[in-house]
Amino acid sequence: MSSKIEKKREREKQMVSQMIALYCKKQHHSRSGLCKECAALDAYARMRSEKCPFMETKTFCSNCKVHCYKPEMREKIREVMRFSGPRMLFHHPVAAIRHVAETKKEKKKLNNL
């Protein structure tokens, strides 16, 4: 696998982990690390990203046509994204701006196909 794809995969995993950590800190009032539930969600999200066969052609899971998360986990990650997404600009501004730019670029590319 190319290093470009590996970097993209790692960036996606980091973004999701940062969003889960922010959610856990603010919603579950975690002081040191993730609570049990959020740690399980983070591990699940990382595992799904590792096994993704579409990494070459997509930027983030939200742009993927195949949703590989179990329904329960998909709902949990949606909740995390809804909460953490708007707050990422204040907590991880560079990652948040990169994420928005890459997502818009990917959606534009998909619309032109």
Side-chain angles (χ1 to χ4, degrees):
M1 192 169 297
S2 78
S3 65
K4 182 179 177 184
I5 295 166
E6 281 303 316
K7 285 180 186 176
K8 184 165 48 165
R9 190 180 304 264
E10 193 54 42
R11 258 196 331 269
E12 180 167 327
K13 288 190 292 188
Q14 284 178 334
M15 173 63 73
V16 171
S17 290
Q18 289 171 339
M19 292 178 99
I20 292 170
L22 177 60
Y23 177 84
C24 192
K25 181 179 177 182
K26 300 290 185 181
Q27 296 294 96
H28 300 152
H29 309 290
S30 300
R31 296 271 183 243
S32 57
L34 299 174
C35 70
K36 194 174 178 180
E37 182 183 339
C38 290
L41 180 60
D42 186 52
Y44 182 80
R46 287 181 160 274
M47 184 265 303
R48 296 310 315 162
S49 183
E50 279 297 319
K51 299 197 181 290
C52 179
F54 304 108
M55 193 56 71
E56 287 183 51
T57 58
K58 71 169 179 110
T59 307
F60 293 97
C61 293
S62 59
N63 293 339
C64 194
K65 291 179 182 175
V66 176
H67 295 291
C68 60
Y69 279 43
K70 291 187 264 184
E72 175 189 327
M73 294 303 237
R74 188 169 178 205
E75 191 51 43
K76 285 181 183 179
I77 201 73
R78 276 186 169 158
E79 185 179 329
V80 167
M81 299 295 164
R82 275 193 297 268
F83 177 85
S84 296
R87 292 164 177 83
M88 288 297 285
L89 192 57
F90 301 106
H91 294 274
H92 299 284
V94 174
I97 291 168
R98 180 187 301 131
H99 176 72
V100 169
E102 287 178 347
T103 300
K104 285 186 181 282
K105 181 180 171 184
E106 182 68 22
K107 284 184 180 180
K108 184 179 178 182
K109 189 170 87 175
L110 289 173
N111 288 337
N112 290 334
L113 291 178

